Amino acid sequence: MSQPEDQALDTNVINRDDYDLAVRHAPRIRFDIREPFLPSMVGYTVFRTKSASPSFPREIELPDGAVCAIEYAVWWDWEIQHLYELEHIWIYLDANEQIIGGEASWHGGYHDMHDGDALPVENKQLILYSEPGKHAFAPARQWLIDRADQTRLSCGAHAGRAGVLVTPLFEGKITSRTPLANRAVHSYLECLAFEPSFDFSNVLALEKATFVAWDALEAWIPERVAWCAGEVQRTFPIEQQHLYTIAHRGASAYAPENSLDAFRKAAEMGSDLVEVDIRVTADGVPVVTHDATLKRVFGVDGVVSELTLERLNAITPEGMAPVPTFAQVAEICADLGMGLYLDIKDFNADAGAQVLATLERTGLLKFCIAGSFRPDLVADIKAFEPRLYTSILFGAVNIDPVGLAQAIHADYVHPCWERRAPNPHTLLSPEWITRVHNAGLGIVCWHEERPDEIAALRTLGVDMICSDNPDRVSIHKTICPP
């Protein structure tokens, strides 16, 4: 992707000595021979005293014998699971410019690059291995073989699922993580999914990338991300993009609703998210159950809010799985690679804080949508946690969806018209879809079980469909360009 000239990277060399030093010692990186993405830019920083890294959350300290450190912030436009990648390499040089230490980034942290007692160095260049698709760095192939199953999942079934990445470094600077950008990015990367070979014979001399001072790269990144996101949206027809499957209370047509078995079944059927309702027990524990009472599902008397979790479990009939806690549901969904669609019936600050803490801990915050029929709750949730996507549900056909969503800063509109017409898609015109999408809003529909209706909604370009039969939605795969 070639960016317009008015968004060009500033490649002026401010300090020639630092530039030459960084290029001279640029590492060699071994890539999988099937790797679809190679780095294009490197932001360098040279340290001669202890100092905080400008691009990574750590202090740079010079070990004994080192006179300087070089930090390489290595940029890719794409990683197999999201738009853009920024990995880091650090080398430490003595007075003779010999490399006496090396470190590299690894899934949010960093580690020493010694392989046993040896530092992999050839001709004054550090040699690293790059994880297929994900690009985390390792000093030896075995490190990546040990993660092979997880890497295959990332490069296959989970390709693109993170959409547009926003790290803490770019919080408030990258603003292109929108529902539509995420969907387009997901679809684009899904088409580039691959099976890693773990043959790392593709060796890249990093000095072939464009080297710039870190400040220049940092200033360019938000524009570059916005441009890439816009290009994918512009060139990938929305009716061919990934249609998100929301399993209604799990795969509730195949297993008891809101049970852990229903969530596991949803994952087997290719669901992206599961829809759940959260209620709170008498002792303040968020649990996942739709009804206020236990009568319909469990056949026993009892109001969830009047029972402690212990009592709730005790009165569950023998042979039936008890109401799961939200923490249990979040953990299993995180393990299975699914997000959550929360149908909020009430907003309790204490329970809300617990739910958000659980989403943060399990890494699901960026894969979660909180929706409600109550605009005040949606507005409160967005104010409480701006990073959480929100959805406004409504049943009125003649309401202005864009005005309603914008008034409460919602990210999705959710027309609940399944009972308004025999064929809900007839209430959605192409003009309605286009207006909502042009406002940057995603569209959720539920819950639909009829294959013909699901196909019609997909053709119109809705973004997500909720269903008791998630397998009927998930068969509508991304249509990759030739």
Side-chain angles (χ1 to χ4, degrees):
M1 291 185 175
S2 299
Q3 198 166 351
E5 289 186 9
D6 62 351
Q7 296 177 3
L9 180 65
D10 179 3
T11 57
N12 290 322
V13 176
I14 305 301
N15 185 317
R16 174 58 64 175
D17 289 342
D18 283 358
Y19 173 86
D20 289 344
L21 185 71
V23 172
R24 190 159 59 244
H25 293 283
R28 298 287 188 268
I29 306 176
R30 289 185 168 274
F31 286 95
D32 190 293
I33 59 172
R34 295 176 182 166
E35 172 63 54
F37 314 114
L38 296 177
S40 57
M41 306 288 177
V42 179
Y44 64 89
T45 305
V46 177
F47 303 85
R48 292 181 173 84
T49 59
K50 178 180 176 180
S51 183
S53 165
S55 59
F56 196 92
R58 66 166 297 190
E59 288 276 327
I60 306 298
E61 297 188 47
L62 301 183
D64 290 343
V67 298
C68 70
I70 306 173
E71 176 178 86
Y72 299 91
V74 187
W75 170 269
W76 288 256
D77 281 343
W78 301 99
E79 190 245 58
I80 195 61
Q81 289 190 294
H82 47 71
L83 169 53
Y84 96 79
E85 175 78 294
L86 191 66
E87 296 286 353
H88 285 72
I89 305 166
W90 297 271
I91 64 170
Y92 301 90
L93 302 177
D94 67 13
N96 298 315
E97 291 194 17
Q98 298 296 316
I99 298 178
I100 61 172
E103 296 160 337
S105 56
W106 177 266
H107 298 286
Y110 68 97
H111 57 83
D112 189 281
M113 285 297 292
H114 279 82
D115 181 22
D117 294 330
L119 191 65
V121 174
E122 294 178 10
N123 300 320
K124 292 190 176 184
Q125 268 87 33
L126 187 66
I127 310 299
L128 309 89
Y129 288 77
S130 177
E131 183 179 11
K134 297 293 294 175
H135 307 146
F137 292 130
R141 178 175 179 268
Q142 189 59 46
W143 285 45
L144 303 178
I145 296 299
D146 291 344
R147 285 177 50 86
D149 289 346
Q150 190 169 349
T151 301
R152 289 189 181 99
L153 187 62
S154 297
C155 294
H158 289 176
R161 70 185 295 261
V164 180
L165 180 66
V166 181
T167 63
L169 181 64
F170 291 104
E171 200 74 58
K173 299 176 184 177
I174 291 177
T175 58
S176 44
R177 182 176 165 78
T178 65
L180 298 185
N182 283 340
R183 185 184 180 194
V185 166
H186 190 163
S187 304
Y188 173 73
L189 291 173
E190 201 167 47
C191 292
L192 296 174
F194 69 104
E195 175 70 22
S197 69
F198 296 97
D199 175 347
F200 293 94
S201 56
N202 181 17
V203 182
L204 173 73
L206 192 57
E207 67 265 22
K208 292 183 178 180
T210 299
F211 273 60
V212 297
W214 164 250
D215 289 349
L217 184 62
E218 181 183 29
W220 172 82
I221 284 172
E223 286 186 351
R224 179 64 177 177
V225 172
W227 185 82
C228 288
E231 275 296 282
V232 176
Q233 291 177 79
R234 184 182 67 81
T235 58
F236 206 134
I238 200 160
E239 67 276 7
Q240 296 178 14
Q241 293 179 24
H242 185 100
L243 176 63
Y244 286 93
T245 304
I246 306 175
H248 186 240
R249 306 176 199 170
S252 52
Y254 300 91
E257 65 178 61
N258 286 320
S259 67
L260 299 184
D261 283 345
F263 301 141
R264 293 188 185 98
K265 191 67 177 177
E268 289 176 16
M269 292 179 166
S271 301
D272 298 289
L273 305 95
V274 292
E275 183 271 346
V276 298
D277 305 274
I278 301 174
R279 297 190 180 275
V280 184
T281 63
D283 50 343
V285 180
V287 294
V288 171
T289 183
H290 178 270
D291 296 357
T293 73
L294 303 175
K295 193 67 175 178
R296 177 180 64 86
V297 175
F298 295 94
V300 297
D301 293 327
V303 177
V304 174
S305 62
E306 297 174 358
L307 299 168
T308 65
L309 180 63
E310 183 179 8
R311 181 61 182 157
L312 191 63
N313 291 334
I315 66 173
T316 300
E318 187 175 351
M320 297 184 73
V323 172
T325 66
F326 179 73
Q328 288 175 310
V329 171
E331 286 163 5
I332 195 171
C333 286
D335 288 343
L336 294 171
M338 295 188 296
L340 289 167
Y341 191 99
L342 310 180
D343 186 2
I344 307 297
K345 299 291 194 289
D346 196 8
F347 186 71
N348 174 294
D350 289 340
Q354 290 185 61
V355 167
L356 289 172
T358 298
L359 294 176
E360 190 83 71
R361 175 175 54 79
T362 56
L364 286 178
L365 188 63
K366 60 187 175 183
F367 301 114
C368 184
I369 304 170
S372 178
F373 277 100
R374 289 180 51 183
D376 59 320
L377 289 184
V378 175
D380 284 346
I381 292 165
K382 179 62 80 172
F384 193 67
E385 178 46 85
R387 294 176 297 169
L388 182 61
Y389 287 130
T390 55
S391 173
I392 182 62
L393 285 66
F394 52 89
V397 174
N398 296 318
I399 202 166
D400 175 8
V402 174
L404 175 61
Q406 290 179 339
I408 55 175
H409 304 291
D411 304 287
Y412 290 85
V413 298
H414 186 155
C416 300
W417 294 344
E418 66 275 8
R419 293 184 180 86
R420 294 278 179 148
N423 302 103
H425 83 271
T426 61
L427 299 177
L428 292 169
S429 66
E431 293 76 20
W432 192 97
I433 298 283
T434 299
R435 181 168 178 264
V436 171
H437 280 161
N438 284 347
L441 301 167
I443 301 167
V444 183
C445 292
W446 79 13
H447 48 87
E448 188 51 63
E449 322 304 330
R450 295 165 294 175
D452 289 349
E453 191 67 19
I454 290 169
L457 290 168
R458 195 266 166 76
T459 299
L460 278 168
V462 304
D463 303 285
M464 300 184 173
I465 297 178
C466 188
S467 181
D468 294 344
N469 297 269
D471 52 325
R472 298 180 184 177
V473 181
S474 60
I475 60 171
H476 293 272
K477 305 293 186 182
T478 301
I479 303 173
C480 296

